[in-house]
Amino acid sequence: MPQVTSKDGVTIGYDVTGSGPAVILVAGATQYRAVDRVTPILIELLAQHFTVINYDRRGRGESTDKWPYAVAREVEDIAALLDVAGREAFVFGMSSGAVLALEAAAAMPRKIKALALYEPPIDPGRSGDAYRYEHMQMAVQAAQGRAAEMMSDFLLGVGMSGAELDGFKQSPAWPAFAAVGLTLEHDYRILADARGSDGPPERWQNAIMPVLVLDGDKSFPFMAAGAEWVASGLHNVERMTLAGQSHEYDPKILAPLLTVFFQLGSVQVH
């Protein structure tokens, strides 16, 4: 598998599928290529029109890590992948990866041609202090190397029951998820940094490219408000709610929409 070296020396594993203009996919919490079963379907569909770059975020799969963590280091990882792509690309971010993708777009507005975000998981009804406290809890566990405990806390926090978690821990899939538990500190840091004030960060206004912010009407109740909150901090933005979609989107629904948006810079049909 190919690798690229980020600015701080971390190696990022990635793969390339298809041909045409480049699209970089930015994964959410717990996602990486060895365990992800949804993204490969999305890649297959997008690769009919684009060169799709899918990578393991630092600390997961074939990508290394370096501490202490900072969101800027993951932005540098995306910058390294943009160099692989020919110095510019479209970007799609999923969940916390959507917030990371937006940070990259704000830092590199001339290199990211258009940006699509699916359900950035920010609840405007919760305070920035609450996000920072949750990050602190994860950071303490990460410093102690408690990867499995971090993954357990995360899964319980997003709605998995104790009985379901116990069953998951007995399954063959558990070790691959527990192995990347430390990287959850990254995702909690991304969200805490985004909630530094009551409104969206001013730096996001540097993202001058077309941005599409999506949510699903069957998802967690706060996702629509979070998508609106993110969109309110952007200049060149479209908002859309997808019927019948939850936080786990259907690639066959999403891929045609992303194709139109990346090709035209809009999902509005005139």
Side-chain angles (χ1 to χ4, degrees):
M1 293 287 185
Q3 293 182 328
V4 65
T5 302
S6 194
K7 187 176 181 180
D8 68 347
V10 164
T11 56
I12 301 299
Y14 68 94
D15 52 52
V16 180
T17 308
S19 61
V23 176
I24 297 173
L25 308 181
V26 184
T30 78
Q31 283 183 296
Y32 65 109
R33 291 176 296 162
V35 302
D36 196 337
R37 297 295 178 262
V38 175
T39 303
I41 302 171
L42 181 66
I43 291 170
E44 181 181 358
L45 296 169
L46 290 178
Q48 298 173 27
H49 307 280
F50 304 101
T51 298
V52 185
I53 298 175
N54 188 32
Y55 74 103
D56 293 332
R57 284 176 51 192
R58 59 174 52 207
R60 305 178 193 172
E62 296 183 356
S63 296
T64 61
D65 204 355
K66 183 177 289 188
W67 298 83
Y69 174 79
V71 179
R73 301 293 79 77
E74 284 214 85
V75 170
E76 290 168 357
D77 299 345
I78 295 172
L81 291 162
L82 282 164
D83 288 340
V84 170
R87 302 191 64 80
E88 65 176 15
F90 304 112
V91 174
F92 168 67
M94 166 65 188
S95 193
S96 54
V99 184
L100 173 58
L102 180 51
E103 297 287 3
M108 299 177 288
R110 302 296 180 184
K111 293 186 176 183
I112 295 178
K113 298 187 291 183
L115 177 67
L117 310 176
Y118 190 82
E119 295 208 338
I122 294 175
D123 184 351
R126 299 180 67 239
S127 68
D129 286 343
Y131 277 91
R132 287 184 285 275
Y133 178 72
E134 285 188 343
H135 170 252
M136 180 191 69
Q137 289 181 310
M138 281 293 185
V140 168
Q141 291 189 78
Q144 298 169 348
R146 296 165 60 188
E149 291 91 336
M150 291 171 68
M151 184 60 68
S152 295
D153 288 350
F154 171 76
L155 293 174
L156 291 171
V158 297
M160 183 176 283
S161 71
E164 289 170 333
L165 178 59
D166 290 341
F168 186 28
K169 287 181 177 180
Q170 302 304 313
S171 75
W174 172 251
F177 282 85
V180 300
L182 296 183
T183 68
L184 288 165
E185 187 267 338
H186 302 175
D187 298 276
Y188 279 76
R189 176 66 178 274
I190 289 166
L191 299 183
D193 283 5
R195 290 292 279 120
S197 59
D198 289 338
E202 288 188 13
R203 63 182 177 274
W204 288 358
Q205 296 181 23
N206 293 329
I208 57 175
M209 71 291 295
V211 182
L212 176 64
V213 183
L214 300 161
D215 72 300
D217 68 358
K218 303 298 183 184
S219 191
F220 302 106
F222 71 88
M223 284 296 182
E228 292 290 346
W229 187 87
V230 169
S232 72
L234 302 172
H235 294 296
N236 189 7
V237 63
E238 287 186 63
R239 268 283 290 123
M240 178 176 286
T241 296
L242 301 184
Q245 298 303 295
S246 68
H247 197 56
E248 297 181 3
Y249 62 80
D250 181 347
K252 295 179 181 179
I253 299 296
L254 189 61
L257 187 65
L258 295 181
T259 298
V260 170
F261 177 67
F262 290 145
Q263 289 178 335
L264 302 180
S266 173
V267 292
Q268 300 297 323
V269 179
H270 298 286

